Amino acid sequence: MICSLEDGYLCIQSRRSFLLIGKILSSFHLFIETNQKEHSQYLEEGDLVVVSAPEGGELGQAIILLELIREYQAPLIVLPKDHPGSKRLKMVVSAGDHIELNCSIQRGTHPEQHLLCGSEEMAGLVLKRVKGGVEIFGADKFQVKPFERIVISPLH
């Protein structure tokens, strides 16, 4: 299934979890911080930013996380495997031209941006950047809804 995606969001919902998808609006280097080193990944305009909420949660929190990456270019933090904080992560983020959902990786510990922790029911879902949107493989049984972008105006 191919879905149009301008500057808003696309939400894929299952019974207990969801994904929020947005696209990169202007190219930048995304920094990925690990215990050992810093990685830099170049994101092009049109690449995807995806927030996974494996146990559900608030759409507003997912929007904030997505915008922290695409609007404010916040770095991603990758925890070491078996870090106790992984259990407290309710939502995780990935970015790139294609993203694969996997339920067997520990949340927040995978520096490779093509893999994203997801719920068991969304495992195997694949998202690929296409011109003007996203191609979604394996989402036939899920609800897919577009949302308008929420923009917070500057103070001045």
Side-chain angles (χ1 to χ4, degrees), residues 48-123:
L48 306 174
V49 179
V50 181
V51 177
S52 174
E55 297 162 354
E58 294 293 324
L59 182 62
Q61 180 183 358
I63 290 170
I64 290 167
L65 287 172
L66 192 147
E67 291 295 340
L68 278 171
I69 303 302
R70 80 169 177 183
E71 179 68 25
Y72 300 101
Q73 302 166 6
L76 293 179
I77 306 297
V78 178
L79 298 173
K81 190 172 179 155
D82 298 323
H83 190 284
S86 293
K87 295 174 187 141
R88 286 186 285 283
L89 296 175
K90 301 296 182 203
M91 296 183 187
V92 287
V93 181
S94 189
D97 61 356
H98 81 283
I99 296 168
E100 301 169 24
L101 273 287
N102 187 314
C103 67
S104 64
I105 58 176
Q106 192 176 29
R107 290 181 200 170
T109 64
H110 210 283
E112 292 184 37
Q113 290 297 292
H114 75 282
L115 289 177
L116 180 60
C117 177
S119 66
E120 193 171 304
E121 57 193 344
M122 287 195 177

Side-chain angles (χ1 to χ4, degrees), residues 98-155:
H98 81 283
I99 296 168
E100 301 169 24
L101 273 287
N102 187 314
C103 67
S104 64
I105 58 176
Q106 192 176 29
R107 290 181 200 170
T109 64
H110 210 283
E112 292 184 37
Q113 290 297 292
H114 75 282
L115 289 177
L116 180 60
C117 177
S119 66
E120 193 171 304
E121 57 193 344
M122 287 195 177
L125 200 71
V126 176
L127 310 169
K128 290 191 176 183
R129 167 196 171 159
V130 294
K131 185 173 180 148
V134 59
E135 187 168 10
I136 306 167
F137 298 91
D140 304 339
K141 58 186 172 193
F142 303 120
Q143 185 177 24
V144 180
K145 296 185 341 189
F147 290 93
E148 293 292 317
R149 183 175 188 208
I150 297 172
V151 178
I152 298 172
S153 301
L155 288 174

